[in-house]
C-alpha cells in the first residue's frame, strides 16, 4: 500500500512502521513528513515518540529534517520535548523561562531544522530576553533559519532588534527580506518604519506588499509619496494594500495634522488612475468595521472619484448614510454633495422615500438634497414637511428647503 493511501486512511501506525523500519531514507523522510498531518489523531503520543526518535537517531539528514518539521507542525509539546532533550534541559513545571532556555540552546544545534524550530518557539512565547541570541541567527548560513529568527523578533516586537532587522532587508533571500519587513512593521518605531520606505520598489512582490502595508502605521505624512507611487504597481495586491494604508494613515495621524495630510493625499491621488484608487476605497467603506477607516474612506471618495466609477461610489456613499457612526454618515453626505449631479439626487430621493430606512439616514439624505437638489427635490421636501411626524426629518427638511428656494 502506498504512503499516500496510508495517509488518506489515517493509518499512522503503518506510517510509523515505515519510518522506523524502512531501509530507504526517502521513504522514511516521506513517512516522517506525512505524520505531521495528524495533530488531533488518537495515536498522537505514538506519532510524537516516533518522530522524536527519528529526529534524534536517524542517520539521514533528510529524515531528521522531515521529523523535526513534522514535530514543529504538530505544535503543542511535540517539538518542545525534543528540543529539551537536545539542549539537555528539564522543563520541570513547564515555565516559559525554562522553555526559553532550551530554545536558546537549540539555536546552536547542528541541524538547521532544529534551529528553525527553536526560533519558532522563542517567538511563540515572546521571550524578549532571547532577542540578542535571535539576532545572532541573522548570520546563519541557512536562509530558513534567518527568516524564522526574523519572524520571532517580529513576534516579540522588541526595538533592540531594529538595527539588525534593517540589515536583513538587503538579504539575498526574498523570504528573509519578507520576514524582516514584516518584523519591522510589528516593531513599529520610527526607525523601523522608515527603514521600510525603500522597499516599495523591491523586486519581490510580497516584500513590496508587506512594506506598503506597514506604511499605514506611520503617524505623519512621510510615506504618502511612496504609497501614491505604489498605486501604479504592477501587482493589484500591492495597489490595494497601498489604498488601505492611505486610509489607515489618516486614522493614525494626530488630529491637528490630519487636514494637511488629507489635502496632500487628495492632491497626489488626483494624478493617478481612478480605478486603482476608487475600487479599494469602496471595498473599505462597504466592508470595514472600524469607524475611523469608514470615515476617512467616505471623505476621500468625494474628492478622488472621476466618471469611470462614479455610479458605484454614489451607491456606496448613499449606503454609508445608514451608518450607525454619525461622523461616517456626515462624511458620506459631504462627499455626495461634492459629487453632485442628477444621479446623486435620484439616489437620495429614493432613500427619502424608503419607509424602511432609519430615520437618521432619511434625515441625512434630506439635508444633502438641500445642497445638490433641484426643483424635484424642492417639491418632494415640501410635501415631506406635511407628511412626516419625525422631528429630526422635519428639522432637516426645513433647512434643506430654505436652500432650495422655500416652500411653494
Amino acid at each position: 500500500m502506498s504512503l499516500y493511501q496510508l495517509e488518506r486512511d489515517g493509518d499512522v501506525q503503518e506510517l510509523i512502521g515505515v519510518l522506523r523500519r524502512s531501509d530507504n531514507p526517502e521513504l522514511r523522510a516521506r513517512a516522517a513528513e506525512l505524520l505531521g498531518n495528524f495533530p488531533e489523531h488518537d495515536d498522537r503520543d505514538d506519532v510524537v515518540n516516533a518522530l522524536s526518535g527519528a529526529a534524534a537517531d536517524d542517520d539521514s539528514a533528510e529524515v531528521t529534517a522531515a521529523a523535526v518539521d513534522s514535530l514543529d507542525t504538530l505544535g503543542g509539546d511535540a517539538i518542545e520535548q525534543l528540543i529539551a532533550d537536545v539542549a539537555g534541559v528539564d522543563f520541570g513545571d513547564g515555565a516559559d523561562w525554562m522553555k526559553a532556555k532550551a530554545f536558546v540552546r537549540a539555536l546552536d544545534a547542528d541541524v538547521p531544522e532544529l534551529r528553525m524550530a527553536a526560533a519558532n518557539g522563542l517567538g511563540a512565547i515572546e521571550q524578549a530576553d532571547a532577542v540578542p541570541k535571535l539576532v545572532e541567527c541573522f548570520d546563519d548560513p541557512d536562509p530558513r533559519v534567518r527568516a524564522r529568527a526574523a519572524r520571532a523578533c517580529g513576534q516579540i516586537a522588541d526595538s533592540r532588534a531594529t538595527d539588525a532587522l534593517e540589515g536583513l532587508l538587503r538579504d539575498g533571500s526574498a523570504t528573509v527580506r519578507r520576514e524582516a519587513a514584516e518584523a519591522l512593521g510589528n516593531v513599529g518605531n520610527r526607525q523601523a518604519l522608515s527603514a521600510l520606505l525603500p522597499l516599495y520598489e523591491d523586486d519581490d512582490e510580497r516584500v513590496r506588499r508587506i512594506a506598503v502595508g506597514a506604511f499605514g502605521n506611520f503617524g505623519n505624512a512621510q510615506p504618502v509619496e511612496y504609497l501614491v507611487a505604489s498605486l501604479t504597481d504592477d501587482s493589484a495586491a500591492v495597489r490595494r494594500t497601498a489604498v488601505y494604508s492611505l486610509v489607515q494613515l489618516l486614522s493614525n495621524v494626530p488630529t491637528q495634522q490630519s487636514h494637511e495630510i488629507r489635502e496632500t493625499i487628495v492632491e497626489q491621488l488626483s494624478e493617478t488612475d481612478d480605478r486603482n484608487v476608487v475600487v479599494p476605497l469602496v471595498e473599505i467603506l462597504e466592508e470595514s468595521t472600524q469607524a475611523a477607516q469608514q470615515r476617512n474612506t467616505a471623505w476621500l471618495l468625494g474628492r478622488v472619484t472621476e466618471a469611470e466609477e462614479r455610479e458605484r461610489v454614489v451607491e456606496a456613499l448613499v449606503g454609508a448614510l445608514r451608518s450607525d457612526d454619525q461622523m461616517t454618515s456626515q462624511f458620506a453626505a459631504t462627499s455626495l454633495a461634492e459629487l453632485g449631479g442628477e444621479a446623486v439626487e435620484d439616489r437620495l430621493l429614493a432613500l427619502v422615500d424608503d419607509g424602511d430606512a432609519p430615520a437618521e439616514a432619511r434625515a441625512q439624505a434630506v439635508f444633502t438634497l438641500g445642497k445638490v437638489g433641484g426643483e424635484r427635490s424642492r417639491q418632494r421636501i415640501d410635501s415631506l414637511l406635511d407628511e412626516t411626524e419625525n422631528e429630526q426629518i422635519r428639522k432637516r427638511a426645513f433647512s434643506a428647503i430654505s436652500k432650495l428656494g422655500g416652500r411653494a
Side-chain angles (χ1 to χ4, degrees):
M1 186 178 294
S2 69
L3 295 183
Y4 169 76
Q5 185 69 41
L6 292 175
E7 180 199 21
R8 192 174 68 177
D9 294 345
D11 194 343
V12 299
Q13 295 298 336
E14 285 297 322
L15 286 171
I16 288 172
V18 173
L19 175 61
R20 286 175 169 165
R21 293 186 291 271
S22 174
D23 293 331
N24 186 329
E26 291 185 5
L27 286 178
R28 298 201 305 276
R30 181 60 177 154
E33 179 183 346
L34 295 176
L35 284 168
N37 297 331
F38 298 98
E40 306 295 334
H41 199 279
D42 291 341
D43 295 336
R44 174 188 169 89
D45 289 345
D46 291 344
V47 171
V48 171
N49 289 334
L51 289 170
S52 295
D57 301 327
D58 200 284
D59 56 7
S60 165
E62 183 182 2
V63 175
T64 298
V68 173
D69 274 343
S70 286
L71 286 167
D72 202 19
T73 301
L74 290 174
D77 60 354
I79 194 69
E80 291 178 0
Q81 189 54 54
L82 173 63
I83 290 181
D85 292 342
V86 169
V89 173
D90 182 1
F91 280 167
D93 61 1
D96 282 350
W97 72 270
M98 289 296 296
K99 294 180 182 179
K101 186 177 180 181
F103 290 142
V104 166
R105 289 190 184 180
L107 289 176
D108 293 323
D110 293 334
V111 179
E113 286 76 16
L114 269 175
R115 302 198 297 274
M116 292 162 57
N120 285 351
L122 288 168
I125 60 179
E126 299 182 6
Q127 272 291 320
D129 290 342
V131 167
K133 188 64 178 179
L134 285 167
V135 166
E136 290 180 18
C137 293
F138 291 179
D139 293 324
D140 195 283
D142 192 314
R144 298 174 301 165
V145 177
R146 300 198 298 275
R148 299 297 179 90
R151 182 189 302 176
C153 286
Q155 291 171 302
I156 298 169
D158 191 304
S159 61
R160 289 176 294 173
T162 304
D163 287 337
L165 286 168
E166 187 173 352
L168 281 188
L169 296 178
R170 297 182 290 276
D171 196 278
S173 165
T175 301
V176 174
R177 296 200 304 277
R178 287 197 296 267
E179 295 291 355
E182 191 148 6
L184 285 167
N186 289 338
V187 171
N189 60 26
R190 182 175 298 180
Q191 178 188 350
L193 294 174
S194 296
L196 294 175
L197 291 174
L199 294 187
Y200 82 98
E201 52 183 4
D202 191 273
D203 292 338
D204 186 85
E205 180 238 346
R206 288 179 62 190
V207 172
R208 298 197 304 276
R209 178 165 53 81
I210 290 169
V212 168
F215 293 169
N217 296 328
F218 274 75
N220 56 55
Q222 187 179 2
V224 171
E225 63 177 293
Y226 301 94
L227 286 170
V228 172
S230 298
L231 293 173
T232 59
D233 194 280
D234 291 338
S235 164
V238 174
R239 296 196 299 269
R240 285 194 301 271
T241 301
V243 176
Y244 275 80
S245 284
L246 281 168
V247 172
Q248 188 62 36
L249 180 67
L250 285 175
S251 304
N252 288 337
V253 296
T255 304
Q256 60 270 26
Q257 297 179 24
S258 62
H259 179 73
E260 179 182 352
I261 294 177
R262 286 175 195 274
E263 295 303 324
T264 300
I265 291 175
V266 169
E267 180 182 351
Q268 298 202 33
L269 288 185
S270 64
E271 301 174 3
T272 66
D273 180 14
D274 180 50
R275 184 173 178 79
N276 287 345
V277 178
V278 171
V279 172
L281 284 175
V282 169
E283 291 172 353
I284 295 172
L285 183 59
E286 292 176 340
E287 300 170 10
S288 176
T289 57
Q290 298 183 29
Q293 288 187 356
Q294 289 184 320
R295 295 170 189 172
N296 288 314
T297 303
W299 186 89
L300 281 171
L301 278 171
R303 290 148 183 87
V304 300
T305 301
E306 301 297 337
E308 184 178 355
E309 297 295 329
R310 186 182 180 88
E311 182 177 349
R312 185 175 179 185
V313 169
V314 170
E315 192 70 25
L317 288 171
V318 171
L321 294 179
R322 300 171 180 257
S323 173
D324 293 334
D325 179 65
Q326 186 176 5
M327 288 188 65
T328 298
S329 177
Q330 290 174 352
F331 282 166
T334 61
S335 284
L336 287 165
E338 287 281 342
L339 294 173
E342 187 174 345
V344 171
E345 185 178 15
D346 288 343
R347 288 296 292 112
L348 290 172
L349 285 170
L351 178 55
V352 170
D353 288 335
D354 183 357
D356 295 328
E360 294 83 357
R362 296 177 66 205
Q364 195 68 265
V366 170
F367 179 77
T368 310
L369 282 169
K371 298 181 178 181
V372 303
E375 180 59 21
R376 282 188 305 150
S377 296
R378 191 195 66 79
Q379 292 180 11
R380 179 65 189 96
I381 294 173
D382 191 356
S383 61
L384 184 65
L385 283 168
D386 297 326
E387 298 168 6
T388 185
E389 296 180 359
N390 184 278
E391 188 59 32
Q392 186 178 14
I393 294 176
R394 285 182 60 82
K395 182 178 179 180
R396 293 298 181 94
F398 274 118
S399 175
I401 205 165
S402 66
K403 298 173 184 176
L404 296 173
R407 304 196 69 176

